Amino acid sequence: QVQLVESGGGSVKPGGSLRLSCAASGSIFSLWDMNWYRQAPGKERELVAGITTRGSTNYADSVKGRFGISRDNAKNTVHLQMNSLKPEDTAVYYCNARRFRLGVVGDYWGQGTQVTVSS
């Protein structure tokens, strides 16, 4: 059981920045890979960034160099720093916790937070 609560979404102008946060509870946070996904209207949900239990990160090509994912195991939180935002970044952003052991053991999602980038 993992509960995830996102915060930090909002509206910004192109070129602006936002910092999303995800607070986790209900399990041992350090054992879970953490991811940020997003879904825009009319599009499928896509992986934006991920960070493993060991701290390795990966990013979608569209956000490389602009977004940064980090985790603080002591505080059971994961963050997504979003810089140089573009209108195409507009979407609902979801925090995801996923655990593997001979396959996916668990897969949990937050409620999502809206990010809108417009002039």
Side-chain angles (χ1 to χ4, degrees):
Q1 293 183 304
V2 178
Q3 293 80 47
L4 304 171
V5 180
E6 302 101 329
S7 61
S11 297
V12 296
K13 293 188 175 182
S17 298
L18 283 173
R19 181 175 170 85
L20 305 184
S21 298
C22 175
S25 62
S27 190
I28 303 175
F29 180 76
S30 61
L31 298 179
W32 295 76
D33 291 344
M34 300 298 297
N35 308 288
W36 287 97
Y37 285 76
R38 69 185 181 189
Q39 187 167 27
K43 300 184 67 177
E44 294 187 348
R45 187 172 298 188
E46 65 173 340
L47 177 65
V48 177
I51 185 165
T52 70
T53 58
R54 299 182 179 180
S56 297
T57 60
N58 64 93
Y59 300 91
D61 287 342
S62 60
V63 307
K64 285 182 178 178
R66 300 190 297 121
F67 290 11
I69 188 171
S70 61
R71 67 189 297 161
D72 187 339
N73 288 344
K75 297 182 178 180
N76 291 356
T77 57
V78 62
H79 304 279
L80 184 68
Q81 179 66 47
M82 305 186 294
N83 300 320
S84 301
L85 284 162
K86 304 175 181 179
E88 50 262 46
D89 295 319
T90 296
V92 177
Y93 284 70
Y94 298 91
C95 181
N96 166 256
R98 187 171 292 130
R99 187 179 178 189
F100 294 92
R101 189 175 68 182
L102 302 179
V104 177
V105 175
D107 192 33
Y108 294 90
W109 299 85
Q111 80 286 352
T113 186
Q114 177 71 48
V115 171
T116 302
V117 185
S118 65
S119 58

